[in-house]
């Protein structure tokens, strides 16, 4: 019998450790993750539906927000079901192909969301600094181009990094000390030279994180300058309310990314890395719709109208 392997890998199945070192944490963690995932799906699908049925929300900001919600659904669905499975199942395995697929889609979603938030920062910059020409400057064609560019760059980076990982060999026992196929966790089980893959990851990380942060920071520097120059308090409050939700979302997103980068690669830090990754993969997708919808009257009114319509149809 001929034994077929992928790229000369001696291991074609990985074992995900997850939180098995903390068995007492697994049942409550499973319930918490399931609850958060349910809220994530309801909240993000709700944002997409509300934007489609309310003409007042057919604006560039909500066009970008609906794509952010779509990315949150995708990203959360890449990792969360597998996390819930390994929290309750005895066999915590994932195939090499499945692992690479999980990494690819997770990587694509993260980088795309990174640039989607930068695009939203630019949108807020135009809205605050050039309000009279906002609808002209942020045309539908430009919005589509910015969104498409974010998806293309995210997909391209994911293809490059996944290809470099597929070129590596993986040796037994193939134990991944994580709950998912995160980059550093995959590299840790490789038994071949991963220097090229790590260099590619470093370059892509610096380019993506650096350029998205630069766009975001430059946009908000101009926004702050414009706000300072505003003579009326009403305009000042409106500008702040326009940007607050987005600033909160950006701070949480990039804050957890920087936390993951800054944590030293040591066994003592594994739990912190796992907890930070849970926050990143499970909590952020849930928070985004809450952050944006709770501060918007049009969203809340549309949701109330939907609920009332449903209740009325059920009572008939």
């Amino acid at each position: 019998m001929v034994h077929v392997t992928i790229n000369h890998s001696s291991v074609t199945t990985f074992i995900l450790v997850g939180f098995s070192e903390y068995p007492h944490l697994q049942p409550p963690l499973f319930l918490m993750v399931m609850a958060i995932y349910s809220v994530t799906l309801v909240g993000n699908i709700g944002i997409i539906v509300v934007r489609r049925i309310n003409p007042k929300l057919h604006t560039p900001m909500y066009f970008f927000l609906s794509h952010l919600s779509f990315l949150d659904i995708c990203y959360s669905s890449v990792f969360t079901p597998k996390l819930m499975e390994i929290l309750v199942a005895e066999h915590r395995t994932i195939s090499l192909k499945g692992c690479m697929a999980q990494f690819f889609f997770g990587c694509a979603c993260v980088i795309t969301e990174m640039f989607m938030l930068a695009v939203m920062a630019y949108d807020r910059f135009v809205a605050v600094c050039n309000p009279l020409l906002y609808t002209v400057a942020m045309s539908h064609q430009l919005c589509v181009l910015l969104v498409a560019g974010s998806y293309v760059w995210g997909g391209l980076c994911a293809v490059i990094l996944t290809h470099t990982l597929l070129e590596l060999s993986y040796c037994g026992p193939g134990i991944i000390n994580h709950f998912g196929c995160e980059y550093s966790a995959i590299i840790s089980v490789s038994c071949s030279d991963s220097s090229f893959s790590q260099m590619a990851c470093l370059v892509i990380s610096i380019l993506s994180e650096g350029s998205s942060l630069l766009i975001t920071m430059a946009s908000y520097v101009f926004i702050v300058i414009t706000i300072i120059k505003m003579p009326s308090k009403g305009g000042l409050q409106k500008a702040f309310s326009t940007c607050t939700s987005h600033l909160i979302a950006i701070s949480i997103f990039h804050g957890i990314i920087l936390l993951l980068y800054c944590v030293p690669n040591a066994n003592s830090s594994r739990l912190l890395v796992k907890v930070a990754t849970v926050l990143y993969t499970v909590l952020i997708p849930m928070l985004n719709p809450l952050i944006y919808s709770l501060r918007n009257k049009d969203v809340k009114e549309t949701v109330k109208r939907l609920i009332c319509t449903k209740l009325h149809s059920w009572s008939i």
Side-chain angles (χ1 to χ4, degrees), residues 4-5 8 116 212 221 223 230 247 314:
V4 179
T5 57
H8 310 291
M116 198 67 67
S212 64
V221 165
I223 287 171
M230 283 182 177
L247 271 174
W314 289 339

Side-chain angles (χ1 to χ4, degrees), residues 289-303:
L290 296 177
I291 290 168
Y292 285 101
S293 61
L294 290 176
R295 295 179 57 84
N296 189 284
K297 291 180 181 178
D298 292 326
V299 172
K300 287 188 281 188
E301 286 175 5
T302 308
V303 170

